Amino acid sequence: MYLLLLVTWVLLFGHCSTPSRTIQEYQDQIGDTPFDPSRDNPEYTLCDSTNVLHKRAYIQYTGGIKAMEEELFANYEYQPSYSTFSGTFIIRFVVNCRNEAGRYRMQILDEKFQKTTAPKNLVTHILSISKNLNKWNHAVYKGKDHDGYRFITIKMENGQLIKK
Amino acid sequence: MKKIILLVVLITSSSGFAQPNCFVYPEESGERKACELSYKAIEFQQGSKESQMLFDEAIAMGPKFAWAYYQKSVPYFKRGFLYEGLQLLNEAVALEPITYLSYRAYWYWQYRNYALCIQDLEQYYALPKAYMQHTPGGEKDMRILLGLAYAKIGKYAKGIEILKACINDHESEDYVGLADYHSLGVLYVLNKQYEKAIEVLEKQLTVLEDMADTYYYLGLAHKGLSNLKEANIQFNKSLEIFDKQNRFRNTNAGFIVYPSDVKHELGTN
């Protein structure tokens, strides 16, 4: 019975490679990231979950991208097993009105921007050094403090970080 | 004044570049319906469920109507869903390369894939009917981005050649982008052609005096010629401008300067 259900599910929803041509479920806004107990810290909270901005330019890192990259470089620990990977990590997250970041999500693309995978310990390490970035300044929009979404990209060639 | 007017026109028109006219499609055709639905979709906030669902409807009705894919892709790019954005925009590019290649190149640039950016722009400018394209913000001719992209992969001479040709075209029309001479100057510095760099960076100062980056690169050019005294004068000017709230910020600069870079040159870091 379960197998039958599974087969039906795959037949109904398994053709997701062309998102534009299938009926999709949308969040209220593209990129809304609700709490997921399987990967999010339950202690991380938003100031107003009903109004999280999608205006990435309003969230800045102290010292700019340069300072952020310097931190990533300083914390990155190369391992020979990483050398198989070339591509881009795109890490999305929220910066709440208290300058705390959370709800990290990641996309891994190859050099042609096709979906790919990376060695598991590299993925864990990239996520970890991204989470260590702690100088985010929350969005102030129309004079008010806001939670907001932001993303960063980390580019690599043969397991080495590439500067912007 | 002329420059300001042109810039305003570019900025106000850029968000809706290539807006289609639905009446060119036969009534009752799939494209006509897709076009009308897409206009309905952009009445809702970009990236909202309402707008995305209307775009889906539009695409189902008229799968050959490129603008719907393009419009639907925009929030994905802006919010870090590069893969999803590309799947949509690729459809628009396949249908109408002349309209959308340059926009895809822009996002390749934004996500730092200079090889793909160059590939799209070279393909675009090789099209017989290619016309002048700008960044979505309107501040740069896409040929400036192409030249900067070549510089990003270390091909400085190629970048210089493209920027010079672009600026020459604009000079003949009495309009050069607000930071075009600056971009060319940066490439001359990177290519160690310091005298030429000083020449164009000083020309840049006749266009804009409040861009900190220009003084920094002027400083580097003088330093390259072993004129350390003049170099330090320029580095100090750069730091002064960095302190100004209303200084000019060069969008899509490619080679961004930070106060810490200038301080490093001055040895005060």
Side-chain angles (χ1 to χ4, degrees):
Chain A
M1 184 61 194
Y2 282 122
L3 185 68
L4 186 68
L5 274 174
L6 183 70
V7 170
T8 315
W9 189 87
V10 170
L11 285 174
L12 281 173
F13 302 109
H15 305 282
C16 293
S17 56
T18 50
S20 54
R21 284 176 192 158
T22 47
I23 293 175
Q24 276 191 319
E25 288 291 325
Y26 292 105
Q27 301 287 343
D28 286 346
Q29 276 285 334
I30 296 292
D32 280 354
T33 312
F35 173 71
D36 175 354
S38 71
R39 50 180 158 182
D40 292 327
N41 172 6
E43 283 165 26
Y44 177 76
T45 55
L46 303 179
C47 304
D48 178 4
S49 62
T50 66
N51 189 17
V52 188
L53 289 186
H54 288 280
K55 294 184 186 298
R56 67 194 190 288
Y58 283 83
I59 298 171
Q60 299 290 341
Y61 202 72
T62 302
I65 299 287
K66 189 186 176 215
M68 188 193 85
E69 270 193 350
E70 281 168 359
E71 270 189 63
L72 287 173
F73 271 73
N75 293 325
Y76 182 68
E77 288 170 16
Y78 173 79
Q79 286 185 20
S81 63
Y82 299 166
S83 67
T84 53
F85 182 76
S86 293
T88 300
F89 291 88
I90 302 172
I91 301 129
R92 291 180 287 111
F93 49 92
V94 184
V95 176
N96 70 16
C97 74
R98 295 181 293 273
N99 296 335
E100 301 155 343
R103 306 235 176 124
Y104 294 86
R105 303 290 184 270
M106 186 188 265
Q107 185 168 95
I108 308 172
L109 303 180
D110 67 13
E111 288 166 296
K112 296 278 178 198
F113 283 159
Q114 297 298 313
K115 273 192 179 163
T116 189
T117 53
K120 207 179 164 195
N121 48 352
L122 173 61
V123 176
T124 312
H125 185 46
I126 289 291
L127 194 58
S128 155
I129 61 173
S130 303
K131 286 181 177 178
N132 280 342
L133 296 170
N134 59 5
K135 298 188 187 76
W136 291 107
N137 299 288
H138 69 273
V140 179
Y141 182 62
K142 294 186 176 169
K144 286 186 178 164
D145 297 321
H146 278 273
D147 306 317
Y149 291 99
R150 170 80 206 227
F151 68 89
I152 59 169
T153 57
I154 297 179
K155 199 175 167 180
M156 296 186 75
E157 250 175 55
N158 305 320
Q160 302 285 355
L161 296 187
I162 301 293
K163 279 205 175 175
K164 193 166 171 112
Chain B
M1 190 60 194
K2 200 170 163 187
K3 285 173 189 173
I4 293 168
I5 291 168
L6 187 57
L7 191 71
V8 169
V9 169
L10 285 171
I11 288 169
T12 50
S13 63
S14 61
S15 58
F17 78 94
Q19 283 220 349
N21 175 0
C22 297
F23 293 112
V24 303
Y25 303 105
E27 226 172 308
E28 299 302 313
S29 69
E31 280 91 341
R32 175 75 165 262
K33 284 177 193 155
C35 184
E36 285 165 0
L37 281 164
S38 299
Y39 270 103
K40 220 166 132 186
I42 60 168
E43 286 174 19
F44 291 93
Q45 204 184 355
Q46 191 177 66
S48 65
K49 187 183 201 167
E50 293 83 355
S51 73
Q52 294 293 309
M53 286 173 79
L54 280 165
F55 285 130
D56 284 345
E57 217 182 302
I59 289 164
M61 292 290 235
K64 290 192 172 163
F65 182 66
W67 197 63
Y69 298 99
Y70 150 68
Q71 280 289 351
K72 191 183 174 202
S73 76
V74 178
Y76 288 102
F77 289 117
K78 288 183 175 174
R79 298 175 191 186
F81 294 84
L82 175 59
Y83 180 80
E84 290 78 357
L86 282 174
Q87 302 320 297
L88 291 160
L89 190 58
N90 290 346
E91 300 277 348
V93 171
L95 290 163
E96 274 182 50
I98 196 150
T99 315
Y100 299 107
L101 265 172
S102 156
Y103 186 68
R104 191 170 67 185
Y106 171 76
W107 281 108
Y108 284 148
W109 160 268
Q110 280 286 318
Y111 281 92
R112 298 192 277 157
N113 196 323
Y114 304 112
L116 291 179
C117 170
I118 290 169
Q119 190 179 304
D120 270 5
L121 286 176
E122 289 291 10
Q123 194 188 332
Y124 173 74
Y125 288 114
L127 295 174
K129 290 186 177 168
Y131 47 92
M132 198 189 291
Q133 293 274 12
H134 285 81
T135 50
E139 81 289 341
K140 278 186 177 61
D141 187 310
M142 284 301 286
R143 284 175 296 173
I144 302 285
L145 248 63
L146 176 59
L148 291 168
Y150 270 113
K152 282 282 186 185
I153 60 166
K155 294 188 175 175
Y156 301 132
K158 178 80 181 166
I160 289 168
E161 183 193 317
I162 291 166
L163 260 60
K164 271 169 73 179
C166 176
I167 289 172
N168 270 338
D169 278 2
H170 287 305
E171 273 177 338
S172 62
E173 292 159 26
D174 192 27
Y175 173 76
V176 174
L178 286 176
D180 290 357
Y181 291 120
H182 172 83
S183 300
L184 179 57
V186 171
L187 266 53
Y188 276 133
V189 170
L190 293 170
N191 207 34
K192 300 187 167 57
Q193 291 172 266
Y194 301 119
E195 274 155 7
K196 288 214 150 125
I198 291 168
E199 196 184 307
V200 288
L201 289 170
E202 280 179 352
K203 215 165 179 182
Q204 173 64 40
L205 293 180
T206 65
V207 181
L208 275 179
E209 288 184 329
D210 57 352
M211 180 155 60
D213 312 34
T214 305
Y215 298 98
Y216 171 73
Y217 278 100
L218 258 176
L220 288 184
H222 283 292
K223 185 183 162 190
L225 295 172
S226 303
N227 190 350
L228 296 184
K229 197 177 162 198
E230 184 59 31
N232 279 350
I233 292 172
Q234 298 300 335
F235 291 139
N236 279 312
K237 272 191 198 164
S238 177
L239 278 187
E240 268 172 45
I241 307 275
F242 267 118
D243 281 339
K244 289 189 179 171
Q245 276 298 315
N246 58 351
R247 70 189 164 87
F248 183 85
R249 286 167 169 84
N250 184 12
T251 311
N252 291 310
F255 298 88
I256 304 167
V257 183
Y258 292 89
S260 56
D261 298 317
V262 189
K263 285 177 191 162
H264 177 76
E265 288 300 332
L266 281 167
T268 55
N269 210 359

